[in-house]
Amino acid sequence: MSSDPATPAAKATEERLDEIRKAAAESAPRGGRPSPAPQIRGRESYYGLPVLKAPVWTWEVPLYFFIGGIAGMSACLALVAQLFGNEAALVRSALWVALLGAAICPVFLIADLGRPERFLAMLRVAKIQSPMSVGVWILVSFSGCTFVALLANELIARGYTDILIVGVNWAGECTAALTGLILAAYTGVLLGATANPVWSHNRRALPAHFLAAALGGAAGVLELLGFLIPPTQLIGVVAAVIETLLGVHFELSRLPVNAPLHRGKSATAFRIAGVMAGPGALILRLVSDAPPVRRAAAVCFLAGSLLSRYAWIWAGRASAMDPEALFQMQRKS
Amino acid sequence: MTVSAFLTDATLCIGCKACEVACKEWNEVPADGMTWTGLSYDNTQSLGASTWRHVMFLEQPAAAGPQLAETTDPFRWVFLSDVCKHCGKAGCLEACPTGAIMRTHVGSVLVQKDVCNGCGYCVVTCPFGVIDRRPDDGRAFKCTFCYDRQKSGLIPACAKACPTQSIQFGELAELQERAQMRVHELRERGYHDARLYDPQETSVQGVHAFFVILGEPENYNFPPAPEAPTAYLKSAWTSAVICAAIAFGIICVAFAF
Amino acid sequence: MPGLGTTYGRGGATTAPKDMLNSDVILIMGSNMAENHPVAFQWIVEAKEKGAKVIHVDPRFSRTSAVSDIWLPLRAGSDIIFLGALIRYVMENELFFREYLVHYTNAPVIISQGFHDSEELEGIFSGWKADLKCYDPKTWWYEGADQRGGQAPGGETPAIPVPDLNSYKKDETLEDPRCVLQLLKGHFARYTPDLVEEYCGISKESFLRVADLYGRASGPDKTGGICYAVGWTQHSSGVQIIRCAAILQLLLGNMGRPGGGIMALRGHASIQGSTDIPTLFDILPGYLNMPRFGESSKSLAKYIAQNSPRTGWWRNFDKYIVSLLKAYYGDLAKPENQFGFNWLPRLTGDHSHQGYWLDMMDGKMDGMFIMGENPAVAGPNSGMERRALAKLQWLVVRDLVDTETSSFWRDAPEVKSGEVRPEAIQTEVFLMPAAGHAEKDGTFTNTQRLLQWHEKAVDPPGDSRSENWFIFHLGNLLREKAKKNPHAKNAGLLALTWNYTTAGPHAEPSAEEVLQEINGYTVADRQLVPGFGALQADGSTACGAWIYSGVFPKPGENRANQRTSKDFYGHGWGFAWPADRRILYNRASARPDGKPWSERKKLVWWDCQNKKWMGNDVPDFVATKPPNYVPRESAEGDDALAGDKPFILHADGLGWIWVPNGLADGPLPAHYEPFESPIRNPIYPKQQINPVAMNKKRIGNEYASSPDSRFPYVMTTYRLTEHHTAGGMTRTLTHLAELQPEMFCEISVEMAAELGIRQGDWVTIVTLRGAIEAHALITPRVQTLAIEGKRIYQVGVPFHWGYSGLVKGDIGNDLIAISEEPNVRIMESKGLLCNLLHGRHADNTQKVRELLRAQRVAE
Ligand SMILES: Nc1nc2c(c(=O)[nH]1)N[C@H]1C(S)=C(S)[C@@H](COP(=O)(O)OP(=O)(O)OC[C@H]3O[C@@H](n4cnc5c(=O)[nH]c(N)nc54)[C@H](O)[C@@H]3O)O[C@H]1N2
Ligand SMILES: Nc1nc2c(c(=O)[nH]1)N[C@H]1C(S)=C(S)[C@@H](COP(=O)(O)OP(=O)(O)OC[C@H]3O[C@@H](n4cnc5c(=O)[nH]c(N)nc54)[C@H](O)[C@@H]3O)O[C@H]1N2
Ligand code: SF4
Ligand code: SF4
Ligand code: SF4
Ligand code: SF4
Ligand code: SF4
Ligand SMILES: [Mo]
């Protein structure tokens, strides 16, 4: 009942009201905050609402990152393999992987657009300051180069060893490798050069992380295609080592801005991915180089690096929802 | 070419939301959800694809500072109408891969509806969380600074509708000066935590919509030191190139044996 | 309206919002001006920027409070204690403006020996007729006010005696114990700051701070203004609350002066217009009293005698009523048939909203037109009003949208709950689409009595038609029927002048022509009259509403449509009645000798060279009457008023601190508690409520006792910027609906803590009229008050939601009772008792039933 006099003669002075407030606060429900009215104190955010917008990208984009990376890296593998005169079959398969990847990538990229029919608008302009613009042009040229390279390669395989074709083949493979490298690396920049706290904070690590994944991924794919040769094993080991180191790095940097890598759904995914692509794959490769084990290692790494792409997007979402992290990050700088 | 700007003044705002409504009326912006938040009188919550002016309602304890020169109230209730900052260096504009976002001849940042393909990159590159993609439409939307009105010599709809001059529209340099004077005057009058929110020092290189506020920028969800993401390009790309080189090296080594 | 009407002579706001720029202090009370009059509020904001102090007194800390310098919370319904204490403070500290008081108000006037104050008689004034529950005001009259008061020019004497208020004794020293000022002093002597602290819940310090601030906004060089709206009106003593403010302004000499006055903030865009040319049942256009059935309206002469006191402007009553009758009945209005006076209906009872809704409830009404109203949501005890609608044979609703009123038979909660079955409702409902204001020509009369013309911008969609069209063509059809049935009661209808020129495919009557008819014209040659000065009582002129006369002085000169403001007061933009005067009673802005009180506060003054009044506004005074004019003993009408009498509509030309005649509930305001109150009346233990207020108690319209353990909380209702009243115009539009999408109520942090309510939780609010559910919005903006040392919680309830539109919610007015303030018959929707239960209505049905049953037993 609201009308029980505490001290009957009491007056409505401000002190009196404060007494009343205290009294009421004490009669608050168990565990209930005495003042449930939202109030903005000190340097708090606006009722804890997000400052930034969460990325709108859906499942297609991480998949694109994954495939693009592998495609790009296998183009490099193709070139180097050919340089060191490895068997033609390896070069050929690597190029095929690159081309197929290059062919699938746009599908996901376009599917994610709000207005897919307007994909070509991307080709109206080329903006060096826009990683996405750079990426689009890289993807386009990568597809072109790989196609040329593969075409020449196939012709040579069929005995057309005309000097011109050989030249085109080399040119194609070199440019494919170069664009492939950028294709595998730029996606890290794409995320790094945004307003998103966790992404921009890790802008240096991201390209490394994505490249490592692409590297190991490409090798893994070739292994699954049957090329259980020393180079792929070696690359697989190195990639897993890098993944492991990066995993350790992300675990240890406990800054609030990295919270999405340590807490919540994104963190779980991120850790599982890290273990699979890092220690997981590594141990498998070290215990034995029996074909089944190597295949297992490859699958383990591929799954891990795919999952980690999703983890990064989820981390970005979580990060955008957390105003305090953003404030802390900016206050320091 | 004169550069247009907004000076929005929390100490003159009565929270009537006329700006929010006028904006939607003029620009035919659709509804943004019928959800009751319980956060004071703010059921809009934030700027977005379908909210280009957003009036904030800050309920604060008295400790936050005086709303009125000589108040005895145990708390304060501050209103402020937020809007796209039309950044000097705009993350959204720099990042847009289609060139849909352009700088107009009045210095404002405009999304061209007929070009945007909804790639969503501007959404993550706006340091103020302003622009967003409209789910049912697929394209990105934000304040147009009523470019259409400005071109035909009218002032923006929100400024026109504001009954109390809380939204002042004018020439950039002139408004910046007025803002400085206003803050000074307010402090004289006893609003000791009155201040101007106008990030000049950061890579955003100043904004064309700045705000006279009471208390901390954070309370209004204003980033204390917003950065245009282009500032991150150099470090990110450097790392990318080095790592790429290393990756290539690794491959070579692997095959060399 | 009578609050200002009886005190100053006219019911309208005495000033314009922009004039607040000249105020030194502004008191906003009983109004949430920033939220409900945002455009007018720009001047308050600017005034504050210029250094004026703004005070807001309101149960809630609203958007208005947020930008005021000082906010004081008070218990809903305790306004007269607060204002009475302000008046006392002014008296005790002699802050009043003596020279102004002595010359311009009835402060020095001696009151008849027969008068006894409510302070003597424990809550009632002398003249109380217990059997009839009303007052005979005779004892309130001035000493020596005899019977010559209301003699018609024709020599006819009034049926009910009318005082002659221009023959009075006065004591200019203001010392005489029976002079108004001394009576006032005695009357409010007990309204102390301690009382305010104890019963309004405002700490003594805060009160004194405000009292001193406002009290000193007085004198030759200073003025203060007061803004109010329905936070004052909607009380069982609403008129007397406004009277307190009116008295205060006279004491401080703030009337008729720049930055002074009382800004009565009106509601709908043209609600002022709808009292000037009334939608009210008891007045005719221009505030001419509706004839009452009986002796007083036996003949036109008697009726005129009743309404035209010997002295003062109303002496012209005959000119105005005759011209109105000529406008109504044209050539058929002749001296022989008293200009058709007997065709006018007579008042036989209470035909106010409340009155006829109760009749409807009792099945006394067959059908009804509801045009531009949504009582199923906004009417008091709306639940009961919806049930009443179901007792009609037919109902015509004209609206922009399908409102709760037009769909009550289909969507109402009682229908949804199965309590009422649509097939059991006999009412045949016709929904007629109406044209909005942008879809038709016409005028608005806004809150500052300003007529503004609006042109049709677009054609109304589909079958939507304007009011003019509907009424005009309905009239034609009815007249056709009447022709076939020559019954006496049809004579008036058939006699009407009903011949407007029409245009367009739908034969739209000309709105300009209607405005011209309102302006008035000479019957013989149909020349438009220049103003009400030209109106005659001999039937040679016709005029639809004398106060608007002058709005259309010449063909092609529609002054409501003027669009170029020439000066600060906006002359040249629109037309303010009367005669484009922007600040009423502005004669008072000059000293008795005609010179301005001060340079800073000058408005109009006497120009000795040209021998006339001039200044920054149109003088609200006979332009050529010199300040030193002294009337002859035999003089009548305005000629009988001296040159220093600014309140020309009063028989004595004075501002009435004391109202000798014309109010139902006393010559001075006295504090009574609302019908439902958490405390007993601290001033008059023997008189809890306003003795003449009517509670219309009946099953379904019961009241809690005061106090009532079942209903411990004070509840009040109000608006939000985001919606408009019943919501027909806002809950139907996405960009407004989304801003306040759900029904909520505001409660204090302490109350929430005590009841274990969290932000956004559902609560059920219960009164004896009904129960509704709402979200809880917990905020320190609603303060817990300490009344009599007890904790008093107040519950704030917006009343905008209903069961139609894009956003729906329970209807706040299902909680309100139908009751009547004695002068304007408005319901008490600001200040009642409720209970508040945690959880939704459905979860609380049992508890609610118990609360309501308890009452039935008590009955
Ligand atoms: N946006 C908007 N504007 C409107 C309207 C609308 O619906 N929406 N309606 C229009 C209409 S029709 C009208 S009549 C006006 C009404 O204008 P207002 O009178 O301002 O309307 P309300 O909000 O009903 O009440 C005003 C204030 O009275 C306070 N109050 C409640 N009880 C008491 C009391 O006992 N004493 C005192 N002193 N204050 C009390 C309430 O807390 C509220 O803040 O607004 C007009 N303007
Ligand atoms: N509890 C509580 N109850 C209240 C009040 C309160 O403060 N508290 N306030 C009271 C007051 S002050 C008022 S004024 C009433 C208001 O109560 P109402 O007048 O019943 O409510 P409105 O929603 O204003 O109704 C106006 C209707 O007219 C329609 N309309 C608009 N323009 C036109 C037109 O040109 N032609 C026609 N035919 N229709 C048109 C609109 O669509 C709307 O449905 O509410 C009263 N009820
Ligand atoms: S605030 Fe965001 S959306 Fe607006 S211009 Fe700057 S970056 Fe673009
Ligand atoms: S969503 Fe539209 S505006 Fe935004 S970056 Fe992509 S193309 Fe440009
Ligand atoms: S400038 Fe125009 S678009 Fe931008 S917020 Fe104001 S009204 Fe909306
Ligand atoms: S219109 Fe002006 S006053 Fe109203 S909310 Fe917007 S900024 Fe504030
Ligand atoms: S809605 Fe119309 S009447 Fe009401 S404040 Fe706005 S402009 Fe004035
Ligand atoms: Mo109203």
Side-chain angles (χ1 to χ4, degrees):
Chain A
M1 242 306 292
S2 75
S3 51
D4 44 304
T7 53
K11 293 277 169 90
T13 53
E14 299 309 328
E15 306 83 77
R16 172 81 189 109
L17 280 172
D18 291 342
E19 279 171 36
I20 289 176
R21 297 208 176 80
K22 260 194 250 73
E26 274 136 28
S27 63
R30 309 162 315 291
R33 275 195 298 131
S35 163
Q39 286 212 328
I40 302 170
R41 299 183 165 71
R43 297 180 86 178
E44 286 171 4
S45 68
Y46 184 66
Y47 300 115
L49 294 170
V51 172
L52 299 170
K53 293 279 177 279
V56 290
W57 296 324
T58 43
W59 62 272
E60 300 91 343
V61 169
L63 199 55
Y64 157 72
F65 290 174
F66 177 70
I67 297 170
I70 291 175
M73 270 306 162
S74 20
C76 297
L77 281 166
L79 174 67
V80 177
Q82 184 151 324
L83 271 173
F84 290 87
N86 288 57
E87 58 197 85
L90 172 59
V91 179
R92 185 157 173 259
S93 314
L95 283 176
W96 270 109
V97 170
L99 187 66
L100 284 178
I104 305 169
C105 281
V107 178
F108 292 120
L109 203 52
I110 295 171
D112 179 69
L113 295 177
R115 288 294 179 97
E117 73 279 11
R118 290 194 183 169
F119 169 69
L120 290 178
M122 296 263 198
L123 305 178
R124 284 173 72 246
V125 291
K127 292 167 74 175
I128 191 71
Q129 74 273 37
S130 166
M132 183 168 294
S133 180
V134 172
V136 167
W137 286 109
I138 286 297
L139 179 59
V140 170
S141 33
F142 175 74
S143 327
C145 302
T146 342
F147 180 74
V148 172
L150 185 63
L151 190 65
N153 187 290
E154 289 292 341
L155 288 173
I156 293 167
R158 283 168 183 62
Y160 301 90
T161 47
D162 177 330
I163 177 71
L164 179 82
I165 295 175
V166 173
V168 171
N169 171 256
W170 277 111
E173 286 198 15
C174 291
T175 45
L178 183 62
T179 49
L181 268 177
I182 307 175
L183 182 62
Y186 99 89
T187 48
V189 179
L190 185 79
L191 297 192
T194 64
N196 189 284
V198 70
W199 290 350
S200 57
H201 176 76
N202 295 296
R203 60 187 174 276
R204 291 184 186 77
L206 271 162
H209 195 191
F210 282 27
L211 273 162
L215 190 62
V221 169
L222 289 174
E223 283 178 309
L224 293 177
L225 291 176
F227 298 96
L228 300 166
I229 50 176
T232 45
Q233 170 73 313
L234 194 75
I235 294 173
V237 170
V238 177
V241 169
I242 300 174
E243 279 282 0
T244 315
L245 295 176
L246 283 168
V248 173
H249 162 76
F250 290 127
E251 268 315 315
L252 293 185
S253 55
R254 308 298 298 184
L255 289 168
V257 53
N258 277 340
L261 307 180
H262 305 136
R263 256 187 278 106
K265 163 180 164 216
S266 54
T268 322
F270 195 76
R271 288 191 172 117
I272 296 172
V275 170
M276 290 171 81
L282 188 59
I283 291 163
L284 284 170
R285 290 193 184 279
L286 296 184
V287 285
S288 114
D289 58 2
V293 184
R294 280 188 66 177
R295 286 201 191 79
V299 171
C300 182
F301 186 95
L302 284 165
S305 56
L306 173 60
L307 182 57
S308 78
R309 298 300 188 291
Y310 281 93
W312 271 114
I313 298 295
W314 294 332
R317 289 209 191 116
S319 187
M321 292 298 116
D322 177 2
E324 299 301 339
L326 174 79
F327 295 159
Q328 293 204 11
M329 175 173 148
Q330 298 193 346
R331 282 188 202 122
K332 256 193 261 75
S333 58
Chain B
M1 155 189 141
T2 68
V3 178
S4 311
F6 270 141
L7 165 57
T8 311
D9 189 336
T11 64
L12 289 177
C13 181
I14 59 172
C16 69
K17 300 185 188 175
C19 45
E20 227 178 289
V21 176
C23 174
K24 289 206 162 193
E25 283 269 313
W26 177 263
N27 298 292
E28 292 171 335
V29 182
D32 203 3
M34 301 278 172
T35 42
W36 185 82
T37 64
L39 300 175
S40 195
Y41 281 2
D42 184 356
N43 294 305
T44 307
Q45 298 190 58
S46 69
L47 294 171
S50 301
T51 299
W52 303 349
R53 266 275 176 196
H54 164 227
V55 184
M56 295 184 257
F57 293 75
L58 285 71
E59 295 200 16
Q60 301 189 292
Q67 170 160 32
L68 313 158
E70 27 124 18
T71 183
T72 54
D73 304 333
F75 56 90
R76 72 174 177 184
W77 202 19
V78 184
F79 319 123
L80 179 71
S81 179
D82 194 8
V83 68
C84 167
K85 316 297 178 291
H86 295 279
C87 309
K89 192 162 185 57
C92 63
L93 186 156
E94 300 299 325
C96 177
T98 64
I101 306 186
M102 59 174 265
R103 174 99 33 204
T104 70
H105 81 279
V106 295
S108 64
V109 177
L110 181 73
V111 184
Q112 302 171 85
K113 286 206 228 42
D114 52 343
V115 181
C116 169
N117 70 5
C119 74
Y121 200 36
C122 52
V123 176
V124 285
T125 47
C126 167
F128 298 95
V130 169
I131 194 167
D132 201 357
R133 199 166 77 177
R134 199 177 283 162
D136 55 349
D137 178 286
R139 289 171 299 173
F141 293 89
K142 71 168 193 73
C143 163
T144 67
F145 218 134
C146 282
Y147 188 53
D148 51 350
R149 288 174 64 94
Q150 287 199 50
K151 271 188 298 187
S152 46
L154 297 169
I155 73 169
C158 54
K160 184 77 182 168
C162 177
T164 60
Q165 304 295 308
S166 174
I167 299 176
Q168 296 167 42
F169 170 80
E171 199 278 317
L172 180 61
E174 194 258 317
L175 275 189
Q176 279 168 333
E177 195 176 324
R178 200 189 298 173
Q180 298 291 355
M181 277 159 36
R182 176 68 180 169
V183 170
H184 180 74
E185 176 211 334
L186 284 169
R187 284 170 178 260
E188 298 271 286
R189 272 164 53 184
Y191 297 78
H192 61 67
D193 67 343
R195 66 164 64 122
L196 178 61
Y197 180 76
D198 179 6
Q200 293 283 2
E201 285 63 45
T202 76
S203 53
V204 166
Q205 295 172 23
V207 292
H208 295 190
F210 32 90
F211 306 80
V212 172
I213 58 172
L214 296 175
E216 305 292 337
E218 289 90 334
N219 299 158
Y220 303 78
N221 266 14
F222 287 154
E227 294 290 349
T230 42
Y232 305 135
L233 283 172
K234 196 155 165 294
S235 43
W237 274 121
T238 321
S239 152
V241 170
I242 295 168
C243 297
I246 295 171
F248 193 74
I250 294 169
I251 301 174
C252 294
V253 173
F255 279 91
F257 289 103
Chain C
M1 189 186 69
L4 299 179
T6 53
T7 313
Y8 307 127
R10 304 185 187 96
T14 72
T15 178
K18 190 182 180 186
D19 187 53
M20 295 285 163
L21 277 179
N22 297 316
S23 309
D24 300 287
V25 182
I26 299 165
L27 172 64
I28 304 171
M29 191 167 173
S31 161
N32 185 1
M33 192 174 175
E35 300 199 36
N36 297 323
H37 302 86
V39 172
F41 196 76
Q42 69 184 289
W43 305 115
I44 305 288
V45 172
E46 197 172 327
K48 182 161 159 263
E49 287 295 311
K50 284 178 61 189
K53 286 269 167 285
V54 181
I55 305 162
H56 189 220
V57 185
D58 196 292
R60 303 174 305 131
F61 186 98
S62 70
R63 279 173 262 207
T64 305
S65 328
V67 289
S68 304
D69 292 285
I70 302 173
W71 166 67
L72 300 183
L74 93 164
R75 173 177 63 97
S78 66
D79 294 68
I80 292 183
I81 299 180
F82 179 88
L83 294 164
L86 266 182
I87 292 172
R88 178 179 174 279
Y89 185 88
V90 169
M91 304 294 280
E92 294 300 316
N93 301 281
E94 306 244 324
L95 296 176
F96 49 77
F97 192 170
R98 183 174 283 272
E99 195 178 356
Y100 187 104
L101 274 187
V102 171
H103 289 90
Y104 297 159
T105 75
N106 63 4
V109 175
I110 311 295
I111 298 306
S112 88
Q113 295 292 342
F115 174 75
H116 297 282
D117 189 60
S118 56
E119 292 292 278
E120 263 176 81
L121 307 179
E122 296 177 300
I124 53 168
F125 295 92
S126 54
W128 177 244
K129 303 218 220 77
D131 48 340
L132 304 170
K133 289 184 111 298
C134 74
Y135 284 106
D136 170 2
K138 258 215 189 58
T139 61
W140 309 347
W141 292 0
Y142 299 159
E143 183 75 67
D146 58 27
Q147 302 294 319
R148 337 188 355 244
Q151 215 174 57
E156 189 62 75
T157 54
I160 306 155
V162 176
D164 181 351
L165 295 168
N166 205 30
S167 45
Y168 51 80
K169 300 192 196 65
K170 63 178 176 182
D171 169 21
E172 302 214 330
T173 68
L174 304 174
E175 297 303 335
D176 187 305
R178 295 206 69 79
C179 84
V180 166
L181 196 76
Q182 291 305 324
L183 289 173
L184 179 77
K185 194 170 179 186
H187 180 78
F188 284 112
R190 293 191 296 141
Y191 292 65
T192 60
D194 300 274
L195 208 72
V196 171
E197 177 162 285
E198 194 76 10
Y199 299 101
C200 300
I202 296 171
S203 72
K204 199 166 159 182
E205 310 86 80
S206 317
F207 170 77
L208 289 171
R209 180 148 159 269
V210 165
D212 201 64
L213 189 58
Y214 197 77
R216 298 195 184 281
S218 167
D221 207 38
K222 277 188 129 194
T223 51
I226 297 180
C227 306
Y228 81 90
V230 302
W232 273 359
T233 325
Q234 290 162 2
H235 288 282
S236 50
S237 304
V239 166
Q240 293 294 7
I241 300 177
I242 296 157
R243 275 273 298 144
C244 290
I247 291 171
L248 196 60
Q249 288 299 65
L250 285 177
L251 287 175
L252 299 174
N254 279 336
M255 291 311 300
R257 304 180 54 209
I262 293 189
M263 190 60 237
L265 293 156
R266 297 299 179 214
H268 289 82
S270 194
I271 210 76
Q272 179 64 49
S274 75
T275 48
D276 300 339
I277 295 178
T279 53
L280 303 168
F281 76 103
D282 54 358
I283 49 175
L284 292 165
Y287 302 96
L288 310 178
N289 293 323
M290 188 77 187
R292 295 193 165 276
F293 179 78
E295 204 39 43
S296 65
S297 69
K298 264 269 179 303
S299 70
L300 178 59
K302 264 206 180 327
Y303 167 68
I304 290 173
Q306 199 66 66
N307 290 285
S308 52
R310 189 177 59 82
T311 61
W313 200 267
W314 277 119
R315 190 60 174 173
N316 299 312
F317 185 87
D318 53 349
K319 299 173 184 150
Y320 305 149
I321 183 67
V322 171
S323 297
L324 178 64
L325 290 167
K326 286 300 286 184
Y328 280 168
Y329 304 121
D331 298 340
L332 295 179
K334 308 190 207 70
E336 303 81 78
N337 66 356
Q338 307 182 61
F339 300 101
F341 176 65
N342 286 333
W343 286 326
L344 284 183
R346 302 294 195 264
L347 277 184
T348 55
D350 173 7
H351 310 307
S352 70
H353 179 105
Q354 337 288 11
Y356 59 67
W357 236 275
L358 293 170
D359 287 348
M360 202 188 302
M361 199 64 192
D362 301 337
K364 292 185 194 161
M365 288 171 71
D366 289 349
M368 160 129 122
F369 287 88
I370 297 184
M371 311 200 222
E373 211 194 348
N374 190 359
V377 171
N381 201 341
S382 39
M384 191 162 124
E385 295 205 345
R386 291 193 298 273
R387 289 179 179 77
L389 285 173
K391 300 203 171 167
L392 293 170
Q393 305 296 332
W394 54 269
L395 168 66
V396 177
V397 177
R398 270 181 55 77
D399 207 296
L400 309 180
V401 294
D402 185 5
T403 65
E404 284 79 359
T405 301
S406 48
S407 66
F408 78 95
W409 55 274
R410 188 181 69 226
D411 302 333
E414 54 275 12
V415 173
K416 290 259 179 290
S417 74
E419 178 197 338
V420 179
R421 292 187 354 273
E423 51 275 30
I425 296 175
Q426 59 177 349
T427 322
E428 189 173 357
V429 182
F430 305 85
L431 175 60
M432 305 266 181
H437 63 273
E439 297 164 346
K440 60 193 175 195
D441 296 339
T443 59
F444 285 120
T445 307
N446 77 0
T447 193
Q448 69 191 71
R449 312 178 321 278
L450 190 70
L451 281 84
Q452 296 177 104
W453 184 266
H454 58 87
E455 266 121 12
K456 178 169 114 180
V458 290
D459 286 321
D463 292 339
S464 310
R465 299 284 182 272
S466 71
E467 263 57 42
N468 286 355
W469 182 92
F470 184 81
I471 302 289
F472 177 65
H473 291 288
L474 178 68
N476 286 340
L477 296 174
L478 290 175
R479 282 153 62 83
E480 284 315 310
K481 283 192 77 179
K483 284 212 189 74
K484 298 192 193 72
N485 165 6
H487 190 290
K489 74 172 180 217
N490 291 338
L493 181 59
L494 289 167
L496 282 178
T497 57
W498 206 253
N499 50 356
Y500 302 97
T501 43
T502 60
H506 306 306
E508 175 77 25
S510 153
E512 275 217 335
E513 220 171 89
V514 175
L515 189 60
Q516 291 179 342
E517 186 180 33
I518 289 170
N519 173 85
Y521 55 87
T522 53
V523 173
D525 52 5
R526 270 205 159 256
Q527 293 301 310
L528 293 169
V529 297
F532 48 75
L535 299 178
Q536 299 304 331
D538 57 9
S540 61
T541 57
C543 176
W546 73 276
I547 55 174
Y548 281 13
S549 193
V551 68
F552 217 132
K554 293 193 203 66
E557 193 185 331
N558 177 354
R559 297 186 65 189
N561 203 13
Q562 299 178 117
R563 300 288 173 94
T564 44
S565 164
K566 292 195 298 290
D567 54 26
F568 177 85
Y569 286 105
H571 298 97
W573 178 287
F575 174 85
W577 72 262
D580 209 21
R581 299 164 194 169
R582 307 284 165 134
I583 306 293
L584 296 181
Y585 323 110
N586 54 27
R587 159 65 179 93
S589 69
R591 299 171 183 282
D593 66 8
K595 296 191 190 61
W597 287 109
S598 70
E599 189 52 29
R600 182 160 172 258
K601 298 286 179 180
K602 71 175 192 205
L603 182 55
V604 302
W605 53 88
W606 176 255
D607 175 346
C608 313
Q609 277 73 34
N610 309 312
K611 297 260 164 293
K612 63 193 234 326
W613 292 92
M614 56 151 326
N616 309 332
D617 191 11
V618 178
D620 186 14
F621 205 64
V622 176
T624 53
K625 184 194 276 189
N628 57 4
Y629 168 81
V630 183
R632 287 167 293 105
E633 173 55 18
S634 64
E636 290 198 341
D638 190 75
D639 297 343
L641 302 182
D644 61 352
K645 300 281 174 275
F647 298 88
I648 56 176
L649 276 89
H650 278 161
D652 52 9
L654 298 170
W656 286 359
I657 290 172
W658 176 279
V659 176
N661 212 28
L663 279 182
D665 45 11
L668 291 174
H671 172 74
Y672 303 109
E673 286 293 324
F675 284 120
E676 293 183 328
S677 163
I679 60 165
R680 304 301 304 167
N681 185 341
I683 307 268
Y684 303 122
K686 291 227 177 86
Q687 191 57 54
Q688 174 72 7
I689 60 163
N690 183 345
V692 280
M694 292 153 278
N695 64 11
K696 303 290 178 185
K697 193 168 190 163
R698 51 156 72 200
I699 297 294
N701 196 56
E702 296 103 333
Y703 291 78
S705 51
S706 308
D708 191 320
S709 58
R710 298 162 305 159
F711 301 98
Y713 312 126
V714 175
M715 175 191 140
T716 193
T717 62
Y718 49 86
R719 294 158 170 73
L720 303 165
T721 309
E722 293 84 346
H723 286 300
H724 195 274
T725 44
M729 292 177 285
T730 52
R731 283 185 293 109
T732 49
L733 302 174
T734 53
H735 54 264
L736 290 172
E738 68 183 349
L739 298 177
Q740 289 290 6
E742 287 186 56
M743 174 66 179
F744 64 89
C745 67
E746 295 180 298
I747 60 175
S748 76
V749 172
E750 299 74 34
M751 179 174 184
E754 183 173 309
L755 301 182
I757 296 165
R758 298 318 185 68
Q759 191 70 343
D761 282 2
W762 283 101
V763 295
T764 306
I765 311 166
V766 195
T767 71
L768 284 173
R769 278 72 59 186
I772 65 163
E773 64 181 16
H775 288 292
L777 186 70
I778 302 161
T779 171
R781 294 183 292 101
V782 176
Q783 295 266 291
T784 299
L785 301 177
I787 306 293
E788 291 179 314
K790 300 193 197 84
R791 204 183 301 156
I792 292 290
Y793 294 144
Q794 306 204 83
V795 179
V797 178
F799 71 100
H800 294 301
W801 282 269
Y803 43 80
S804 304
L806 294 170
V807 293
K808 303 176 170 64
D810 279 5
I811 297 173
N813 276 12
D814 287 6
L815 303 173
I816 309 292
I818 293 182
S819 64
E820 289 185 3
E821 188 281 343
N823 299 286
V824 295
R825 299 172 179 275
I826 201 167
M827 71 287 187
E828 187 155 69
S829 56
K830 303 262 190 280
L832 41 140
L833 291 179
C834 75
N835 199 334
L836 186 138
L837 310 166
H838 197 175
R840 302 195 68 146
H841 195 169
D843 318 331
N844 284 308
T845 39
Q846 190 48 37
K847 284 191 212 136
V848 171
R849 209 174 294 117
E850 276 158 21
L851 280 170
L852 300 189
R853 191 184 314 104
Q855 173 61 18
R856 294 278 186 285
V857 176
E859 277 309 290

